[in-house]
Amino acid sequence: MSTLAERLKLAMFDAGVTQIWLASRVGVSQGAIQKLTSGKAQSSGKIVEIAKALGVDPTWLSSGEGSMGKAT
């Protein structure tokens, strides 16, 4: 997974959530999530909140480093 968009789509798929659900959960618009999943946006100030909502490691989500699982 080389891009934030790819990692975000994978995490959303694994969590079984929609863009609308995720947007509501982290307090952003569905359009903001769509920009992240399409690659039009390369980062977000809500990356930690997004990772928490999806149950993944924020470092992995933002940079691809480490493992997808939750940080210990």
Side-chain angles (χ1 to χ4, degrees):
M1 302 269 113
S2 61
T3 68
L4 171 61
E6 291 172 333
R7 292 186 297 275
L8 179 56
K9 286 189 278 190
L10 175 63
M12 289 176 63
F13 178 80
D14 283 356
V17 303
T18 64
Q19 291 181 5
I20 293 170
W21 180 90
L22 183 57
S24 173
R25 185 72 181 245
V26 300
V28 298
S29 69
Q30 182 271 330
I33 300 298
Q34 190 277 328
K35 284 181 182 179
L36 289 168
T37 60
S38 71
K40 291 180 182 176
Q42 302 297 315
S43 65
S44 170
K46 296 273 190 176
I47 205 77
V48 172
E49 292 88 343
I50 292 170
K52 184 177 178 180
L54 295 173
V56 298
D57 185 312
T59 302
W60 173 82
L61 185 59
S62 65
S63 68
E65 295 178 14
S67 67
M68 182 177 172
K70 284 187 178 178
T72 56

